Amino acid sequence: PACPVNTYSVAGGDCVSCPANSNTAGANSATCRCNAGYAAGSTYGPNLVCTGMLVLTTAIFCDDGEATL
């Protein structure tokens, strides 16, 4: 079937909504992709899981003991 945007179909099966925090590039997609600001965990394809990106910060300690990020 012709699947609308934000749904996908595997091997011509039924249209399925993309998982949370994901979308398709257009209609008739076979996969979903993570939204901006989200990253795929270790699972891709129909079981895609998009989680918030991990933001790493680095603290620099000065001679006076104060930390800056």
Side-chain angles (χ1 to χ4, degrees), residues 41-60:
S42 60
T43 305
Y44 293 91
N47 298 319
L48 177 73
V49 176
C50 298
T51 59
M53 287 187 180
L54 178 63
V55 176
L56 300 176
T57 58
T58 302
I60 300 171

Side-chain angles (χ1 to χ4, degrees), residues 18-24 32-40 48-52:
C18 288
N21 307 315
S22 67
N23 66 80
T24 60
C32 298
R33 61 185 183 186
C34 292
N35 293 340
Y38 290 85
L48 177 73
V49 176
C50 298
T51 59

